[in-house]
Amino acid sequence: MSETVMVLSLSDRPALGAVRSEPQLRVAEHGGKIWLRGLPPLAKVPAHLRSLPAQTTYRLVEGDLLFAVGALTPVGTVPDGPWKTLPDYLPVERPVAAMPGKIQQKLPFRLRESDMPRKGEGIVLSLTALKAWIEQTPAHRLRDLKYAVSAHGEALVLGQPLPAQPGAELWRDGWLLLPAGYELEYPALAALISQRLNPMRDGVVRLHPDGTWEKIPWTFLQAVSRSGVRAAFDQMNHGSRE
C-alpha cells in the first residue's frame, strides 16, 4: 500500500506543532527541506493534516519510490533519514501555536463593504508586534487571549482585550471571522457557509475579501503568554536564519 509524503519549508517547522501528537508520523531534514512521512494515501489524509503548508506532495510506493501526484513514473526516492518522531523533532513541553495556510480554492461568496460598527474579536498582526505588546502588558490582560502563528510571521489573536498594535481587525459572525468594515453580501448565508467549511465546529473560519479562506482549528490556538510568544518568536527567527 502506498503512503503520502509531504515536503515543507524549514520555516514552516512551527506548523508541525499542531500535529505533534500523531504517533505514526516521521520527519527528517534533507536538502534544506522538511520531509514528513507516515500519512495514508492522499485521498484518506485527514483534513487537519492536509492543511499543513506542504510545498510538494508525493506518493510513496514499494518502500522508497516517490511519485508526483497523478504521475505513473517515479521522480526519485525517499531520503534515508534519520527519521524522527515529531516529539523527538520538536522537543517542547507546550504545544506550538500554528496557523494553517490560506485555502486558494475560492468559494461562491462575496464580501461587501459595510459601515455598520461591530465589536472586534480578533486581529492579525506581525509576531514582532505581538511580542512587543505582551512585553508591556500586565499578565492578567493576557489570560483571555488565544493566538496562532503562520509560517510567514503573522499572528492571529482572538479574545479581549485585543493588542493595541497596527493590524487587520476581525469581527465574528457565528463561526466565521470577517475583516472589519466588511460583511457577507447575503448575511443569511453565514450559517450555510459555516456548515460547509466547519461542519464539526471544531475551529473558526477566516474569510478574505478575495474569496479565499482558512480554517483555524481550536487545537491550533494556544493561550497567549510571554513565554509562549517569546518561544514562537525565537523559533521563527531561528528558522529564517537556516
Side-chain angles (χ1 to χ4, degrees):
M1 179 179 290
S2 66
E3 67 177 274
T4 299
V5 175
M6 291 182 175
V7 182
L8 293 79
S9 167
L10 285 173
S11 64
D12 288 329
R13 187 173 184 266
L16 294 175
V19 297
R20 188 172 178 271
S21 61
E22 300 280 345
Q24 79 282 10
L25 298 180
R26 297 292 183 271
V27 65
E29 291 188 8
H30 177 78
K33 302 289 184 181
I34 298 173
W35 292 71
L36 182 70
R37 63 179 301 180
L39 297 100
L42 189 59
K44 297 182 179 180
V45 175
H48 70 286
L49 292 174
R50 287 201 305 270
S51 68
L52 290 172
Q55 292 184 333
T56 312
T57 301
Y58 294 107
R59 183 165 51 95
L60 181 62
V61 180
E62 297 181 2
D64 65 350
L65 295 179
L66 293 173
F67 290 74
V69 176
L72 299 178
T73 56
V75 295
T77 57
V78 72
D80 292 333
W83 294 88
K84 300 179 181 179
T85 65
L86 283 174
D88 288 337
Y89 184 66
L90 299 171
V92 295
E93 296 181 357
R94 61 175 61 85
V96 177
M99 186 162 57
K102 186 189 300 185
I103 306 299
Q104 295 299 330
Q105 180 184 4
K106 296 185 178 181
L107 292 174
F109 70 80
R110 294 177 61 182
L111 299 183
R112 64 184 181 189
E113 294 185 4
S114 172
D115 295 329
M116 183 178 296
R118 292 182 170 94
K119 180 182 179 182
E121 298 193 41
I123 189 171
V124 177
L125 69 169
S126 71
L127 182 58
T128 301
L130 177 60
K131 180 177 181 295
W133 182 75
I134 61 111
E135 299 290 3
Q136 304 296 326
T137 303
H140 72 271
R141 289 173 58 86
L142 306 178
R143 62 189 178 193
D144 294 327
L145 298 176
K146 301 283 188 180
Y147 81 114
V149 180
S150 77
H152 305 294
E154 282 189 334
L156 167 68
V157 181
L158 300 179
Q160 291 289 336
L162 293 174
Q165 292 284 336
E169 191 169 307
L170 306 168
W171 67 279
R172 188 167 170 178
D173 185 358
W175 303 95
L176 304 176
L177 287 174
L178 290 85
Y182 286 85
E183 64 183 4
L184 286 167
E185 184 177 25
Y186 301 105
L189 292 179
L192 181 63
I193 294 172
S194 292
Q195 178 60 31
R196 179 173 175 180
L197 302 183
N198 190 21
M200 302 301 293
R201 295 186 176 180
D202 55 352
V204 65
V205 175
R206 179 187 174 193
L207 303 182
H208 297 266
D210 64 358
T212 56
W213 58 280
E214 58 196 309
K215 178 181 176 182
I216 302 94
W218 298 128
T219 54
F220 281 37
L221 291 154
Q222 304 300 327
V224 171
S225 67
R226 290 194 180 94
S227 59
V229 172
R230 287 168 182 163
F233 181 82
D234 291 343
Q235 191 172 52
M236 185 69 65
N237 286 340
H238 174 72
S240 67
R241 291 194 297 266
E242 292 180 335

